[in-house]
Amino acid sequence: MADLTSLKEKLDKIRSPKLQNQKETAVVLSAVEDTLRDQKHDTTPTAYLAALLALLSQAIVPPDNIVNKDLASSVVYLLALIIPHVPAALLRSKFPQILASLGPTLTNQDVEAPFLRSSIGCLESLLLAQDSTAWALSQTQISPRRAVAGLLALASDHRPKVRKRAQDAIAQVLRHPPPSPALDHPVADMCAETALDTLSHTLAASSTKKRKGKDHAQEQHQPGLIHALQLVKTVASASGGWPSKKFEPLCEVLLGVSRSNNEYLAMAALEVFEIMFTGMADQCSSSKLPRLMEAVSELKPSHNDSQLLPPWIAVLSRGYDVSAEISPEETFHKLPALFQMVSQYLSSASHEIRVSASECLISFLVNCVPDTVIANPSVVDEKVLEKLARAAEDLLSVKYQSAWMEVFHVEAAFCEALRWRASPLARNIVAAIGELRASVSFNGKKEADTVLGKAIKSLGPEAVLEILPLNLRTPQHGQGGRAWLLPLLRDNVINTNLAHFRSEFVPLSEAMYQRVIDHGDNEKTMEIKIFETIVQQIWALFPGYCNLPLDLGNAFDQDFAELLSNLLYAQPNLRADICRGLQTLVDSNREILAVELSDEEIRSRSRATKAMAQANLDHLATFAGNLLAVLFNVYSQTLPQYRGYILQCINAYLSITKEQQELLETFTRVHDLLESAIAETASQPPNDKQQPTDRSPNRMPPTSHTLMDLIITLSVYLPLSTFPRLFNLTSRVLPLTLDPQLQKKAYKLLPRLASSSNGVVALQSRNQDLQTLFLSSATSTSPPARRDRLLAIAATITHLPPTDLHFIPSVLSEVVIASKEVNEKARSAAFDLLVLMGRKMMAGGTIEQSKIPHMDAGAPRTEASLEEFFTMMSAGLVGSTPHAVSASITALTRVLYEFHSELGSSVIEDLVSTLDLFLTSSNREIVRSCLGFTKVAIVTLPEGIVRPHLTSVVPGLMGWSKEHKSRFRAKVKHIFERAIRRFGFEAVERCCPDDGKKLLQNIRKSKERKKRKRGEAKEAGEEEADEEARTGRFESEYDEAIYGSEEEEEDDDDTNLASSGDDNNNIGTKRRSQARNNRPAVGRKESKGTYIVEDPDEPLDLLDRSALGRITSRQPLLPPANQQRRNNTKAKVDLDGKLVFGPDDDHDHDGGGDAMAVDSRNDQKKEEPGDGTLEGGINAYLEAIRGKDAVQRGRGGRLKFFNNHQRPKKGGGGGADEMDVDDDEMEGRRKEKSGRGRKLVGVGMGNGSRSRVVKRVDVKSQRRGLGVQKGRGGGGGGGVRVGAARR
């Protein structure tokens, strides 16, 4: 009946065609049905088949003449739909007739692809209906085998859709063999032989062309190889898999294909092997696997064949993975021989072979070692493990030294696979790698650390430290310390003996700390800092030892608990590690109890059972009381920023506490102390109640805050008898306006109670008291506590009885106003609470309006409903302030988005009509909220409700389309885009005033432009990146509906408007686009990522806590052009490292950028100073010592220089003009002369005393130097190099 219903639906679609090419088929179907009605036949599949075959005989005349191609195409299309519903017996009897009728459509070369696909569909249905007798007929007759031969020919057709359809038909036929005892389909051998012959001939042709050097011909044969491989894959993926007799030739051909340089061909060949192995994973086909693995092993390539060995090793690895699934014990016993066979390839000179061999060995170890061997090995299994250990140890010999990096990966997998059975099998491996790791010249420390880490996790730290002792307290002769083992132990210790930590590391920690104490208060030396670091690293191992220890009952005794308590008091630096370890003791055992596995599976993974885990928790519960007392005291002595881990540890031990009396005593003590602290705070004068001005992070919080944290933590584990005191405490704290933090913590208590069963009972029993408390404390709520107050109200409303729904309208106005909070978390809490209120009202109940504040005592009782909830919220639209009206619109938007499918159409229409009026408001805050409502209405509401309102919505939006403040323009533009997308451009344009149609035209053009660019990007293969950038941008569907695509539209506004205007705006458009490129790329596709904002003058220290402030998810602002030029103005140096002062590269066109150039003036001539010749060099020297800018020494070695107008003649003396020059004098002269067109350049450095060599440079004849403003002077001269002078 279901099949006939499906056929009826398909025929109904044909009767009402939507495409032009379907109309011919509809006409044929109508004619067939008219004929059947005239002949008074029922419209059954058999009747359809007879009528369609009669029509087909008119359109196709055997042997291969198609008289009417359109009619034949429509008839065959209908036959493809009808034949699957025809009885199989009728199809078997009519098989020769139908095949003869379809023959011309399958063999004619002029048949189009759609016509041919329909014919293949008919043939597939015919073949699926045949029985074993029909399949036994020979191919020379009109038989199913002959039809399959036609399908195999079409499976290599050059047309992709025809080829795909034929391959799918072959796969369906092979997956549905007729009932028989044989495993394979009767035609599977023929399909495999044909596919293999096609692949072999195509590969041979390709190889021939390659040997002849005809690369273009080889490329032409690549599609043929791909098509042949696809056909082989189709046959191999059938139910019975590839026939066993054809394994050897197929493996040989596939390995030959995998040698190709074409990566796609190699991957396709390996994929065929993967399909074959996957098909043999079931019990029916598993008998073929040994024969296949034997065939693969016989095709072992040469030892140095870098092209064929990697794929062969990959096939071997995958084959034994499947073998391990079918027969794990047998495969495990073969593992040593396989290990030896593959490990020899690690000595190959080819890196690819070594990597493939190591990956194969890792696969063997991961997949071929069963859990039963690890949990309960037999004698034979232990011998196999010993052979594996010897083989793994041999890999560390000198023979495999070139492959040690790959060998280390294998050794790590060996330790991980054997788990605790690796001890003592891997001891020699650990010793050898530890010796290598200790060598200074060894470069593979990272890989060695990985192996040692796996060894620590498998053998245990005790076994590893016996082989590689730390040598920190009493170093052995000739061996250095191994402190580098401590981080490895920290990261890998798990599921071991806690007693080893007590015996090995606790004494070591005491010895190291004693040396620190012996040093006293003196200044810390490097040695003392090292000792402190070692102590910290030792106790960092404690959480690992506490992760499911094997000897918890014996190792964790009273002495050890006292030691931990003393350390918590005495050493604050170790509190984090100790608390984390204590918490791990509880959490790791509770995880074992929560996991849904059998004890055998748990034991094979962690050597524990659920009974052991429960015994461990019972043992820890005996210490819980004393540990909690210590943790409470330590918590009160710890700074707030370091309290998190202590609170988590307290919570863990409270969860296993069984002594309720002890817990009650603890709560009573904390409660009494908190009452005293609150009373003391309330009794202080008003001036003393102000918050302290000390905001340093090292300031301890008030005692009341600490005690309230402990009360909140204790609350979920307390019995019901303590809850009255909890509620009384809350009622005392909530009105305290002078301590906002304490008030905030009190509000957190109620959501915490709602997470426990006793708390839920208490909330239900005291719901009315809580309602009164919330209403009375509404005016005293401080801003930091608003979010927690909303969460507390939500916890109360969740358990609100149906008779007390008047509480919802009582607090509704507060929640609505909170939807406009500045704090994002408070806004989110308000939105969630509004939705919760709506669901509570929708569930039904009674609203006593007389109990609502400010309502008359005689107000009638109403029934709760969703419509009533919207009516209550709509009352806020007549608020007295714009803020209240805006908040009401925002709240209505959120609940409308949530409940639009449950609301009646009349309520929605009234709401939309009312809010349309607010678009004409002159207040921007109201209009901003109204824009969000309009967008949600357009996106989510039914089209029939929104379309009539377009006449009022569109003009109202156009009134704000030119407003740039608060991004109104971008919001309006995006709303129009969504409206056009949903209602069509013409519908929106009809409602738009004339002055706004330019914006709609701009939107239409911009969308066409984006569509065109998207098409170009799709052709270039960039569509995937676009989709990735588009996902995951919003936390909820509501946020996406409100804020989606607005950022993109804002960036495109200027360009889009410019494109719809005159061409004269092009310059402005370019400037605006440049400005957009320099601002943060908000909402752009390429902006998805993380950026680090760097200071150009100071490197970023990633270890500094303030570095987190430099990390942003938005692209930082680019510096202005002048700032970039300023940053790029750096001093130049020559090859000797000497400073070179001269012009910038941007203004140097004649070689001035060469740091070694002494003078590169544009007008220099040959034999001039600095031209590079010998005479030029001499002249440069003379110019330097006797030129107009030369510096000379007078009597006493004093430096002297001359002004231009005082320059003496050659050979003249100048002793009267000499001047003493020092640093201070030069600095003053530089400032004095800077305004007269001259500058001073001088740098000198020497050993011992320092002096400056001063040179007066005329700006008009020299180029601009470092720090000199660019001016309009004469032509540029060369740079001046000032080197270091030694006395």
Side-chain angles (χ1 to χ4, degrees):
M1 183 62 68
D3 293 342
L4 295 179
T5 303
S6 175
L7 176 61
K8 184 176 181 302
E9 292 175 354
K10 294 177 181 178
L11 295 179
D12 288 340
K13 291 181 180 180
I14 295 175
R15 293 187 187 101
S16 56
K18 295 181 179 181
L19 300 178
Q20 185 66 29
N21 57 357
Q22 296 176 347
K23 292 183 178 180
E24 180 70 24
T25 306
V27 171
V28 173
L29 178 60
S30 177
V32 170
E33 291 177 342
D34 291 342
T35 302
L36 293 177
R37 279 194 296 267
D38 293 342
Q39 296 178 359
K40 298 181 180 181
H41 290 296
D42 295 333
T43 55
T44 60
T46 304
Y48 277 120
L49 178 64
L52 291 173
L53 288 178
L55 273 178
L56 187 62
S57 62
Q58 299 176 13
I60 300 177
V61 178
D64 57 355
N65 187 14
I66 301 177
V67 179
N68 190 337
K69 185 178 294 186
D70 294 336
L71 177 60
S73 177
S74 300
V75 171
V76 172
Y77 180 79
L78 292 172
L79 279 173
L81 297 177
I82 298 296
I83 290 179
H85 305 278
V86 176
L90 179 60
L91 292 179
R92 286 194 291 270
S93 62
K94 293 289 185 180
F95 180 81
Q97 177 187 350
I98 299 175
L99 185 60
S101 301
L102 293 175
T105 66
L106 298 171
T107 57
N108 196 319
Q109 299 295 327
D110 298 331
V111 175
E112 291 83 358
F115 190 3
L116 197 54
R117 294 205 308 273
S118 300
S119 302
I120 295 173
C122 296
L123 201 57
E124 175 188 340
S125 301
L126 284 173
L127 293 175
L128 290 175
Q130 305 306 306
D131 55 9
S132 301
T133 305
W135 285 110
L137 298 176
S138 65
Q139 187 175 345
T140 57
Q141 305 175 15
I142 301 179
S143 62
R145 288 181 175 271
R146 189 170 184 177
V148 171
L151 287 178
L152 290 171
L154 292 174
S156 300
D157 194 89
H158 65 281
R159 290 166 290 188
K161 292 185 178 180
V162 174
R163 185 173 62 250
K164 179 68 167 56
R165 186 66 185 88
Q167 291 173 359
D168 291 343
I170 293 172
Q172 285 296 323
V173 171
L174 293 178
R175 289 193 185 104
H176 297 84
S180 66
L183 181 63
D184 296 331
H185 196 282
V187 81
D189 289 338
M190 185 184 76
C191 293
E193 186 176 356
T194 304
L196 188 58
D197 290 343
T198 304
L199 179 61
S200 302
H201 293 329
T202 308
L203 182 62
S206 177
S207 302
T208 303
K209 298 295 183 181
K210 185 177 180 180
R211 285 195 299 269
K212 293 182 179 179
K214 297 181 179 181
D215 294 337
H216 60 89
Q218 179 193 1
E219 292 297 327
Q220 291 177 359
H221 278 281
Q222 298 302 317
L225 270 177
I226 295 173
H227 301 162
L229 278 172
Q230 186 63 35
L231 179 57
V232 170
K233 191 188 305 182
T234 301
V235 178
S237 62
S239 177
W242 192 266
S244 304
K245 300 177 182 179
K246 306 292 181 181
F247 276 152
E248 292 85 350
L250 176 63
C251 294
E252 185 177 358
V253 173
L254 288 178
L255 289 175
V257 174
S258 62
R259 301 182 62 178
S260 172
N261 294 328
N262 190 326
E263 294 182 0
Y264 183 83
L265 288 176
M267 293 302 297
L270 294 179
E271 189 176 353
V272 174
F273 278 111
E274 175 70 21
I275 290 174
M276 292 171 62
F277 288 131
T278 304
M280 294 178 186
D282 57 12
Q283 295 297 327
C284 296
S285 304
S286 59
S287 59
K288 297 182 180 180
L289 184 60
R291 185 71 190 92
L292 176 59
M293 295 308 303
E294 182 181 351
V296 172
S297 302
E298 291 175 355
L299 296 173
K300 181 179 178 181
S302 173
H303 187 77
N304 296 318
D305 193 341
S306 59
Q307 287 187 339
L308 193 54
L309 260 178
W312 180 80
I313 293 175
V315 170
L316 193 70
S317 171
R318 178 56 183 150
Y320 280 102
D321 290 349
V322 176
S323 177
E325 296 177 7
I326 298 173
S327 53
E329 291 291 338
E330 183 180 352
T331 306
F332 174 69
H333 293 159
K334 295 179 181 177
L335 197 54
L338 293 173
F339 209 89
Q340 291 285 355
M341 180 182 68
V342 178
S343 61
Q344 62 180 335
Y345 297 113
L346 289 173
S347 62
S348 174
S350 173
H351 177 70
E352 290 78 7
I353 296 177
R354 296 199 302 269
V355 171
S356 298
S358 64
E359 291 177 351
C360 181
L361 293 176
I362 293 172
S363 176
F364 286 161
L365 292 169
V366 171
N367 299 308
C368 299
V369 180
D371 292 338
T372 55
V373 172
I374 303 299
N376 297 306
S378 63
V379 177
V380 178
D381 294 338
E382 290 180 352
K383 292 182 179 180
V384 173
L385 290 175
E386 292 176 359
K387 292 180 181 179
L388 276 178
R390 286 195 295 269
E393 185 179 346
D394 292 341
L395 296 180
L396 294 172
S397 61
V398 181
K399 176 182 178 182
Y400 303 106
Q401 185 174 3
S402 60
W404 267 356
M405 297 301 103
E406 290 81 13
V407 167
F408 284 165
H409 295 308
V410 177
E411 303 292 1
F414 174 78
C415 294
E416 189 174 14
L418 267 61
R419 283 170 273 185
W420 63 88
R421 295 295 174 189
S423 176
L425 298 176
R427 292 179 64 89
N428 295 334
I429 297 174
V430 173
I433 294 179
E435 184 179 355
L436 289 173
R437 173 63 175 80
S439 176
V440 179
S441 60
F442 183 63
N443 295 325
K445 288 184 171 59
K446 180 179 178 181
E447 290 76 10
D449 287 347
T450 303
V451 180
L452 292 176
K454 299 296 183 183
I456 291 170
K457 189 174 295 185
S458 301
L459 280 73
E462 185 174 3
V464 172
L465 291 179
E466 287 179 1
I467 305 168
L468 304 173
L470 291 174
N471 293 333
L472 295 180
R473 184 169 49 175
T474 55
Q476 298 181 8
H477 180 69
Q479 294 185 6
R482 295 188 178 92
W484 49 268
L485 272 175
L486 292 175
L488 293 179
L489 290 166
R490 177 198 61 201
D491 297 335
N492 296 282
V493 170
I494 186 176
N495 195 210
T496 185
N497 293 319
L498 183 59
H500 179 253
F501 180 82
R502 292 187 59 182
S503 61
E504 178 73 19
F505 289 104
V506 171
L508 178 61
S509 172
E510 293 173 352
M512 296 293 107
Y513 191 66
Q514 187 61 41
R515 296 185 184 183
V516 176
I517 295 175
D518 294 342
H519 187 71
D521 297 332
N522 300 326
E523 184 179 357
K524 292 182 179 180
T525 62
M526 181 59 65
E527 185 179 13
I528 297 301
K529 293 180 180 179
I530 291 174
F531 291 150
E532 290 180 342
T533 303
I534 291 176
V535 172
Q536 192 74 32
Q537 289 181 332
I538 287 173
W539 282 99
L541 308 179
F542 183 61
Y545 275 93
C546 293
N547 194 339
L548 205 63
L550 302 175
D551 57 346
L552 179 63
N554 298 325
F556 197 91
D557 53 11
Q558 186 65 31
D559 294 338
F560 190 56
E562 292 177 358
L563 172 65
L564 297 178
S565 302
N566 294 331
L567 290 174
L568 286 172
Y569 282 122
Q571 298 192 36
N573 294 333
L574 303 181
R575 288 176 182 173
D577 293 321
I578 295 175
C579 288
R580 194 157 48 242
L582 290 173
Q583 181 186 351
T584 305
L585 284 174
V586 177
D587 292 344
S588 59
N589 285 282
R590 295 183 69 177
E591 288 176 2
I592 294 296
L593 293 176
V595 69
E596 296 180 357
L597 295 175
S598 62
D599 283 347
E600 290 75 12
E601 293 174 322
I602 297 175
R603 184 184 293 274
S604 65
R605 296 183 180 184
S606 56
R607 291 183 286 178
T609 60
K610 292 186 177 182
M612 293 173 58
Q614 186 61 51
N616 290 337
L617 291 178
D618 294 340
H619 178 72
L620 290 174
T622 60
F623 298 93
N626 294 330
L627 286 175
L628 285 172
V630 173
L631 291 170
F632 283 166
N633 295 331
V634 171
Y635 183 83
S636 63
Q637 301 171 8
T638 308
L639 293 173
Q641 58 267 31
Y642 305 115
R643 286 179 168 181
Y645 52 84
I646 302 178
L647 212 58
Q648 293 174 2
C649 187
I650 291 173
N651 196 47
Y653 279 87
L654 284 173
S655 65
I656 63 172
T657 301
K658 294 183 178 180
E659 296 294 336
Q660 290 294 325
Q661 184 62 34
E662 189 173 356
L663 190 60
L664 285 175
E665 293 176 357
T666 303
F667 167 72
T668 302
R669 288 196 299 269
V670 175
H671 177 268
D672 294 342
L673 291 173
L674 181 56
E675 289 279 0
S676 302
I678 294 173
E680 183 180 353
T681 302
S683 63
Q684 292 178 357
N687 294 336
D688 296 338
K689 294 180 184 179
Q690 303 296 328
Q691 292 292 327
T693 56
D694 184 14
R695 297 292 183 182
S696 66
N698 296 325
R699 180 179 62 86
M700 292 294 295
T703 306
S704 58
H705 294 186
T706 302
L707 295 173
M708 181 58 78
D709 288 338
L710 297 178
I711 288 290
I712 294 172
T713 306
L714 283 167
S715 60
V716 295
Y717 304 104
L718 295 175
L720 285 173
S721 59
T722 61
F723 280 75
R725 284 186 284 176
L726 281 178
F727 287 118
N728 292 334
L729 179 65
T730 305
S731 62
R732 290 191 56 188
V733 173
L734 292 186
L736 296 178
T737 58
L738 297 179
D739 196 344
Q741 291 300 322
L742 184 61
Q743 188 183 68
K744 180 179 180 179
K745 293 177 184 295
Y747 277 119
K748 287 183 177 181
L749 179 60
L750 295 178
R752 171 78 170 171
L753 287 176
S755 62
S756 67
S757 58
N758 288 340
V760 170
V761 174
L763 288 176
Q764 292 173 350
S765 61
R766 289 192 167 259
N767 203 282
Q768 292 184 354
D769 297 338
L770 290 175
Q771 296 174 28
T772 306
L773 179 61
F774 283 128
L775 294 177
S776 62
S777 60
T779 57
S780 61
T781 304
S782 58
R786 285 173 185 165
R787 172 180 175 267
D788 295 289
R789 175 180 169 86
L790 294 172
L791 295 177
I793 293 175
T796 304
I797 291 179
T798 302
H799 306 287
L800 196 67
T803 57
D804 290 347
L805 294 184
H806 60 273
F807 179 66
I808 291 179
S810 301
V811 297
L812 182 59
S813 58
E814 178 186 356
V815 180
V816 169
I817 294 297
S819 64
K820 297 283 289 185
E821 279 287 338
V822 177
N823 190 311
E824 182 182 0
K825 293 182 179 179
R827 290 198 307 272
S828 300
F831 286 141
D832 295 339
L833 183 52
L834 286 171
V835 174
L836 177 62
M837 288 178 170
R839 298 195 183 281
K840 198 71 176 178
M841 293 285 289
M842 189 169 58
T846 305
I847 302 176
E848 296 285 349
Q849 298 192 44
S850 59
K851 295 183 180 181
I852 301 175
H854 310 295
M855 289 290 288
D856 296 336
R861 177 186 301 176
T862 60
E863 295 296 326
S865 64
L866 191 59
E867 289 76 10
E868 182 66 22
F869 182 61
F870 272 84
T871 303
M872 290 188 297
M873 292 189 64
S874 301
L877 297 177
V878 294
S880 58
T881 61
H883 184 76
V885 176
S886 174
S888 299
I889 297 174
T890 302
L892 281 169
T893 303
R894 179 65 182 93
V895 294
L896 177 65
Y897 178 82
E898 187 72 25
F899 300 108
H900 67 274
S901 58
E902 287 86 4
L903 273 178
S905 58
S906 59
V907 178
I908 297 177
E909 286 198 11
D910 293 341
L911 191 60
V912 174
S913 302
T914 303
L915 290 178
D916 283 350
L917 302 176
F918 287 97
L919 281 175
T920 60
S921 174
S922 59
N923 187 278
R924 288 190 178 88
E925 186 177 8
I926 295 176
V927 175
R928 187 186 303 116
S929 299
C930 198
L931 289 178
F933 178 87
T934 304
K935 182 176 179 182
V936 168
I938 290 176
V939 172
T940 61
L941 295 184
E943 183 177 345
I945 295 178
V946 182
R947 186 180 290 272
H949 293 276
L950 290 179
T951 54
S952 59
V953 172
V954 173
L957 291 174
M958 278 300 175
W960 295 93
S961 62
K962 298 180 181 179
E963 180 65 46
H964 288 268
K965 291 184 179 180
S966 301
R967 295 166 56 202
F968 272 57
R969 181 168 170 267
K971 291 175 182 291
V972 171
K973 181 172 179 288
H974 178 63
I975 292 174
F976 275 123
E977 288 181 353
R978 300 302 293 263
I980 291 172
R981 188 184 307 172
R982 189 171 189 193
F983 304 108
F985 182 81
E986 293 77 10
V988 178
E989 188 180 28
R990 281 196 302 268
C991 304
C992 180
D994 294 337
D995 58 348
K997 292 185 177 180
K998 183 178 180 181
L999 175 61
L1000 298 182
Q1001 293 294 335
N1002 166 252
I1003 293 173
R1004 182 178 59 81
K1005 291 181 180 179
S1006 64
K1007 288 299 179 184
E1008 292 175 354
R1009 187 183 306 112
K1010 286 183 179 179
K1011 185 177 180 181
R1012 184 172 61 253
K1013 290 182 178 180
R1014 193 178 297 116
E1016 296 173 356
K1018 185 176 180 181
E1019 294 177 358
E1022 300 174 359
E1023 187 179 18
E1024 295 181 1
D1026 187 11
E1027 293 296 329
E1028 290 179 2
R1030 207 174 301 162
T1031 58
R1033 296 175 54 197
F1034 301 99
E1035 295 183 357
S1036 66
E1037 296 179 0
Y1038 173 72
D1039 290 342
E1040 185 173 3
I1042 290 291
Y1043 308 112
S1045 305
E1046 288 179 3
E1047 295 88 349
E1048 298 177 7
E1049 305 306 330
E1050 184 183 15
D1051 286 340
D1052 294 337
D1053 282 344
D1054 297 334
T1055 304
N1056 294 337
L1057 289 180
S1059 65
S1060 62
D1062 297 331
D1063 294 338
N1064 296 331
N1065 292 330
N1066 289 341
I1067 297 177
T1069 302
K1070 291 180 180 179
R1071 291 177 179 174
R1072 286 191 295 270
S1073 64
Q1074 292 174 359
R1076 283 196 303 273
N1077 290 336
N1078 288 333
R1079 74 187 182 198
V1082 181
R1084 298 183 187 172
K1085 299 178 180 63
E1086 61 269 21
S1087 66
K1088 185 177 181 181
T1090 304
Y1091 301 89
I1092 297 179
V1093 183
E1094 293 186 292
D1095 188 348
D1097 299 326
E1098 182 179 357
L1100 178 62
D1101 184 8
L1102 293 176
L1103 298 179
D1104 190 2
R1105 290 185 178 180
S1106 62
L1108 292 176
R1110 302 283 188 91
I1111 299 175
T1112 177
S1113 60
R1114 295 188 175 184
Q1115 185 174 354
L1117 288 170
L1118 296 177
N1122 56 354
Q1123 184 177 348
Q1124 288 183 356
R1125 288 196 300 270
R1126 187 161 59 250
N1127 293 340
N1128 292 333
T1129 307
K1130 298 180 180 179
K1132 303 175 184 177
V1133 294
D1134 60 8
L1135 297 179
D1136 295 328
K1138 300 176 182 178
L1139 293 174
V1140 177
F1141 294 89
D1144 294 341
D1145 292 340
D1146 297 338
H1147 305 282
D1148 190 1
H1149 303 289
D1150 294 311
D1154 188 359
M1156 296 301 294
V1158 177
D1159 193 0
S1160 56
R1161 299 175 182 174
N1162 293 336
D1163 56 352
Q1164 70 180 10
K1165 299 179 181 179
K1166 290 296 182 182
E1167 301 182 2
E1168 288 292 319
D1171 63 355
T1173 62
L1174 177 61
E1175 295 181 4
I1178 296 174
N1179 293 337
Y1181 174 74
L1182 295 176
E1183 182 74 15
I1185 62 175
R1186 301 184 60 182
K1188 61 180 181 179
D1189 295 325
V1191 179
Q1192 298 182 1
R1193 293 186 181 273
R1195 289 178 298 175
R1198 295 180 177 180
L1199 299 176
K1200 63 179 182 179
F1201 60 90
F1202 301 91
N1203 295 329
N1204 287 341
H1205 63 278
Q1206 296 176 343
R1207 185 66 193 167
K1209 305 292 183 181
K1210 288 184 180 182
D1217 296 322
E1218 66 187 15
M1219 297 179 62
D1220 294 337
V1221 181
D1222 57 13
D1223 292 347
D1224 297 335
E1225 200 172 315
M1226 277 304 306
E1227 184 65 26
R1229 188 174 295 278
R1230 183 180 295 110
K1231 295 180 180 178
E1232 179 184 355
K1233 296 297 184 179
S1234 61
R1236 287 188 271 169
R1238 300 178 182 273
K1239 62 180 180 179
L1240 300 175
V1241 180
V1243 176
M1245 288 187 291
N1247 297 330
S1249 61
R1250 299 182 55 150
S1251 64
R1252 286 185 178 264
V1253 180
V1254 182
K1255 179 177 291 187
R1256 183 178 298 280
V1257 184
D1258 192 346
V1259 174
K1260 293 183 179 180
S1261 61
Q1262 297 290 333
R1263 289 198 175 194
R1264 179 166 59 93
L1266 182 65
V1268 179
Q1269 298 294 329
K1270 183 177 180 180
R1272 297 181 180 274
V1280 181
R1281 186 184 71 183
V1282 183
R1286 293 180 181 269
R1287 292 191 178 227

